[in-house]
Amino acid sequence: LDARRRGAAAEALGAAAPEPVKTEKQTGRVRLNLAAETTNAKSGKRSRTAARLLVVDRADDVAKLLAKARTLLKTKRAPRVAYVAATGLELRDTRTVDDGETVCVSDA
């Protein structure tokens, strides 16, 4: 009875159930839209470059992604962090990333 009450209250408020987090590891290659995030030294404002297409092998770390990102985006400093632009979550591997996802890299 309690569970039905809570469910009815959530439906009444128009709250939707949260989407499950995708943890399925995939194999092969992944196509990413890659952008670099830069910070202006004077004003401190952050900006992103235009996204460029990058195809990398799926791996348990992002070392190859960061190495290819520096070459593709022609940055002065090597990027140290990669994160998904839509959620802001840091990437630890490329196995769980969807094809066509926009990924940002930063040296900070």
Side-chain angles (χ1 to χ4, degrees):
L1 185 64
D2 245 330
R4 279 190 270 160
R5 283 186 191 152
R6 277 184 254 143
E11 289 173 9
L13 295 174
E19 293 182 23
V21 177
K22 184 177 180 182
T23 58
E24 177 183 323
K25 293 198 174 192
Q26 301 173 359
T27 59
R29 292 182 170 201
V30 61
R31 295 167 52 108
L32 301 172
N33 292 316
L34 190 70
E37 182 182 86
T38 57
T39 305
N40 187 327
K42 290 183 180 179
S43 65
K45 290 184 180 180
R46 291 183 170 200
S47 62
R48 276 191 200 149
T49 61
R52 309 241 351 235
L53 182 66
L54 175 68
V55 179
V56 292
D57 292 326
R58 292 188 184 270
D60 291 327
D61 61 357
V62 292
K64 282 195 175 188
L65 170 72
L66 295 175
K68 285 190 172 188
R70 181 175 186 185
T71 305
L72 180 70
L73 299 172
K74 299 176 184 158
T75 58
K76 290 181 182 178
R77 290 183 273 178
R80 296 187 303 175
V81 179
Y83 63 93
V84 179
T87 62
L89 296 175
E90 183 178 349
L91 282 180
R92 299 285 182 187
D93 61 29
T94 55
R95 294 208 183 269
T96 55
V97 181
D98 292 331
D99 266 352
E101 192 79 49
T102 300
V103 173
C104 292
V105 293
S106 176
D107 59 355

